[in-house]
Amino acid sequence: MFPSHRPRRLRTTPAMRRLVSETTVRPRQLVLPMFVKEGATEPLAVASMPGVVQHTRESLLKAATEAVSAGIGGIMLFGVPARRDATGSAGTDPDGILNAALRDVRAEVGDAVVLMSDCCLDEFTDHGHCGVLADDGTVDNDATLAHYARLAVAQADAGAHLIGPSGMMDGQVAAIREALDAAGHLDTGILAYTAKYASAFYGPFRDAVESQLSGDRKTYQQDPANIREALREASLDLAEGADILMVKPAMSYLDVLRAVAEMSDVPVAAYQVSGEYAMIEAAAANGWIDRGRAILETLTGIRRAGADIVLTYWAVEAAGWLDRD
Ligand code: PBG
């Protein structure tokens, strides 16, 4: 008798397939990244990210309320300032766009959703790097840590529940933890960008934040060829007190995500970045793929690889397609 094993039996009916399905995606596991632009009087479309906007402070509040109604787990805010300088001082200004927006959103939605903030200098610097520069033009790791510490405290003061250091400086988690504790923010957590690769898939994001960067971030973000250093970064972030680890981008790094998920004793997030979003939107707009199915397939794949939490620009829309529990 051949074949003697018939795996197709478990695929015969929708009920059978539902019974044996291993991976779920739930709204509570999704986090929406959002942009807020200083001085904007109406939401501005981001050309390379169809459906994503730079919010005004008012439209951000409406969108945050919608995110709560959709039942998603969190929102991650990025600020687009009107003025930039060498040290990114608008990031620490309590009235700077990101801190002002955090305060607004926290006042509007309270603890109904987890409020996260990008703790990095690149949106605020006139050179576009994630840290301050030394005289020779290189990114000065240790001088940058002092800036991250101040940014983190300003963001926690403004109401962020989780601080998201995304600059890949050595020691950033420890520096931020120490500063938060010293300021009395014992319950403010750190969502650490642990394994963040120097990726071409951040291109559309740099439009969204009007990045001033020329050159690249290869001296601080990781080489796409490497997984070992991702595990080293993960061990360091855990030792420094990270509350959640993150791998970024998601789809080209599912093996890294799996490896980090297997060694981590804290929850693990993955960031489905702007270029991953743009690719699917562009293909779908051309009629080349089924948009909704493709989106759900990517979210399922990222969850299957080991992500407890997925940052995705489709968070609210996808939540509308998913079971709540
Ligand atoms: C840096 C930051 C970046 C992204 C999130 N945080 C850009 C970069 O490292 O160049 C990219 C997110 C995306 O592409 O969706 N603050």
Side-chain angles (χ1 to χ4, degrees), residues 51 54 83 104 106 111 148 152 185 292:
Q54 295 174 319
R83 274 169 295 100
D104 291 348
R106 183 67 188 269
D111 293 332
Y148 286 180
H185 289 300

Side-chain angles (χ1 to χ4, degrees), residues 138-149:
T138 59
V139 174
D140 186 334
N141 188 91
D142 298 12
T144 299
L145 296 182
H147 287 273
Y148 286 180

Side-chain angles (χ1 to χ4, degrees), residues 167-218:
M168 291 301 284
M169 295 300 130
D170 294 337
Q172 63 185 11
V173 172
I176 289 170
R177 184 69 269 156
E178 193 181 301
L180 290 172
D181 290 351
H185 289 300
L186 301 180
D187 289 334
T188 306
I190 300 176
L191 166 65
Y193 287 64
T194 293
K196 179 174 178 183
Y197 286 87
S199 173
F201 293 103
Y202 307 148
F205 173 95
R206 292 186 189 164
D207 292 342
V209 298
E210 302 171 17
S211 172
Q212 306 297 303
L213 183 72
S214 59
D216 61 53
R217 305 199 196 284
K218 290 180 185 170

